[in-house]
């Protein structure tokens, strides 16, 4: 199971990186798997632990702490991550994607760091100086050639027309080319007689890093990259407090229209002839009464009249009987 982390800072284009490792280190160290170039990020800030089914994150004692979905992560405590969760480390946010995908090559870590640093510099209205080749030997030692913006290509040789023109009989007319793309700079041999020598070994092609030295013929050159030099300076020194905590932005959720309230059933109709009035019934209280009175109907009225008449007849009969007995 691979994990994709989409790294972003405020106002800059997000940068994704996909890794398929059991342990993924987030930090500013050169050995981090996800390298975040800022001193607000600790050298080893947090670690993702991945297995076949679950991903957990642990804060490794970072200075500014780690947050997941806006909530601070307790030091040393594991928290399970899910697809779409957002991690905040320093001034960076990393959105988690748990996917089945082909991981990026190891060089992608350095490329990610370069791009994040360039984004930070452009946000500060600043630009990193372009990389360059510096001549180390010969009468022109110290001369330098700036590399054009990517994508670009320059030639090294002793033939007129080469951008890096060398006065060296051991150097071929078109000895090597230097290619610059958005991932970095590469030097490549063009089938020269003596090849490219670096560290005492010949090689047909090499991705250059800041400070690398190589020889063509009898001429030595050094590759200088100010961006990578700045990245290396980030590796050391004390952590700095976060200038502003990144804002957690959850994924938008679709808004559902509120459901219409269910219609109340109409009150049951009274039997024909039972209504005593045509007026609307009074509102019924939500709290039921303890004793409910039965409505007075015609049938009930008739029963009371019969009772009263029976009592009257009984009293008249008793009176008549008493008068008859007294007359005797």
């Amino acid at each position: 199971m691979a994990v994709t982390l989409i790294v972003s800072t405020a106002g800059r284009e997000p940068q994704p990186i996909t890794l398929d490792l059991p342990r993924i280190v987030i930090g500013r160290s050169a050995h981090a798997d996800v390298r975040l170039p800022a001193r607000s990020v600790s050298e080893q800030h947090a670690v993702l632990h991945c297995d076949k089914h679950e991903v957990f994150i642990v804060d490794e004692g970072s200075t500014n702490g780690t947050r997941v979905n806006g909530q601070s992560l307790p030091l040393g405590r594991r928290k399970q991550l899910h697809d779409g969760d957002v991690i905040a480390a320093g001034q960076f946010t990393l959105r988690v994607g748990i996917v089945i995908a082909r991981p990026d090559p190891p060089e992608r870590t350095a490329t990610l760091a370069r791009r994040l640093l360039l984004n930070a510099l452009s946000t500060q209205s600043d630009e990193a100086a372009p990389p360059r080749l510096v001549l180390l030997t010969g009468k022109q030692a110290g001369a330098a050639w700036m590399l054009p913006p990517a994508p670009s290509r320059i030639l090294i040789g002793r033939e007129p027309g080469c951008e890096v023109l060398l006065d060296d009989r051991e150097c071929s007319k078109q000895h090597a080319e230097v290619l610059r793309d958005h991932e970095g700079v590469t030097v490549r041999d063009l089938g020269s007689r003596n090849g490219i020598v670096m560290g005492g070994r010949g090689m047909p092609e090499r991705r250059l890093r800041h400070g690398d030295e190589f020889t063509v013929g009898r001429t030595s050159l050094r590759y200088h990259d100010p961006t990578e030099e700045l990245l290396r300076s980030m590796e050391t020194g004390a952590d700095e407090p976060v200038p502003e905590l990144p804002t957690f932005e959850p994924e938008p959720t679709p808004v559902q229209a509120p459901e219409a309230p269910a219609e109340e059933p109409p009150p049951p109709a009274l039997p024909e002839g039972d209504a005593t009035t045509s007026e609307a019934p009074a509102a019924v209280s939500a709290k039921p009464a303890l004793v409910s009175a039965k409505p007075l109907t015609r049938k009930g009225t008739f029963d009371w009249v019969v009772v009263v008449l029976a009592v009257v007849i009984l009293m008249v009969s008793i009176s008549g009987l008493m008068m008859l007995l007294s007359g005797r």
Side-chain angles (χ1 to χ4, degrees), residues 46-310:
V47 175
L48 302 187
H49 299 274
C50 313
D51 59 25
K52 293 182 180 180
H53 306 289
E54 297 176 322
V55 179
F56 295 89
I57 184 171
V58 179
D59 184 272
E60 294 289 308
S62 62
T63 298
N64 292 305
T66 305
R67 294 188 298 162
V68 176
N69 298 336
Q71 301 296 319
S72 296
L73 187 65
L75 175 64
R77 183 178 300 178
R78 288 160 57 99
K79 179 176 178 60
Q80 186 174 0
L81 296 176
H82 301 89
D83 190 75
D85 284 348
V86 177
I87 303 168
Q91 64 212 54
F92 300 95
T93 59
L94 303 87
R95 189 174 296 276
V96 179
I98 300 174
V99 296
I100 300 175
R102 187 174 181 178
D104 290 323
E107 293 79 8
R108 174 65 182 154
T109 296
T111 302
L112 172 68
R114 289 175 60 88
R115 289 190 177 183
L116 292 174
L117 181 59
L118 291 174
N119 284 347
L121 291 175
S122 62
T123 302
Q124 300 168 6
S125 301
D126 197 2
E127 292 184 2
R132 61 185 183 270
L133 294 175
V134 179
L135 188 63
L136 300 179
T137 58
K139 296 179 180 179
Q140 295 181 327
W145 294 267
M146 302 294 178
L147 303 184
S152 62
R153 173 180 181 265
I154 65 172
L155 293 175
I156 300 174
R158 59 182 177 84
E159 180 181 64
C162 291
E163 286 79 5
V164 181
L165 183 60
L166 302 177
D167 184 14
D168 182 354
R169 292 182 178 274
E170 299 296 324
C171 181
S172 298
K173 292 182 179 181
Q174 290 190 357
H175 197 106
E177 63 180 356
V178 177
L179 305 171
R180 184 183 181 190
D181 56 27
H182 295 290
E183 307 297 325
V185 174
T186 301
V187 60
R188 178 182 299 158
D189 183 65
L190 294 177
S192 64
R193 180 176 59 184
N194 298 314
I196 301 173
V197 179
M198 182 177 293
R201 296 189 305 168
M203 54 188 61
E205 182 176 328
R206 170 68 178 254
R207 173 74 75 174
L208 295 176
R209 299 187 61 185
H210 173 70
D212 282 349
E213 296 182 7
F214 61 94
T215 300
V216 292
R218 293 183 178 179
T219 304
S220 296
L221 298 108
R222 177 187 293 130
Y223 173 66
H224 185 81
D225 185 354
T227 301
E228 189 171 346
E229 185 178 23
L230 183 56
L231 276 174
R232 292 185 183 181
S233 70
M234 291 285 183
E235 298 174 13
T236 58
D239 296 349
E240 296 178 357
V242 182
E244 183 178 354
L245 293 175
T247 303
F248 164 62
E249 297 181 357
E251 292 285 355
T253 55
V255 179
Q256 296 182 352
E259 296 183 0
E263 295 184 0
E264 296 183 359
L270 294 174
E272 187 177 355
D274 284 355
T276 59
T277 177
S278 60
E279 295 181 359
V284 180
S285 171
K287 184 176 180 180
L290 296 177
V291 179
S292 59
K294 294 183 178 180
L296 187 63
T297 63
R298 289 183 181 180
K299 184 177 179 180
T301 305
F302 179 76
D303 291 343
W304 280 106
V305 172
V306 172
V307 170
V308 171
L309 288 176

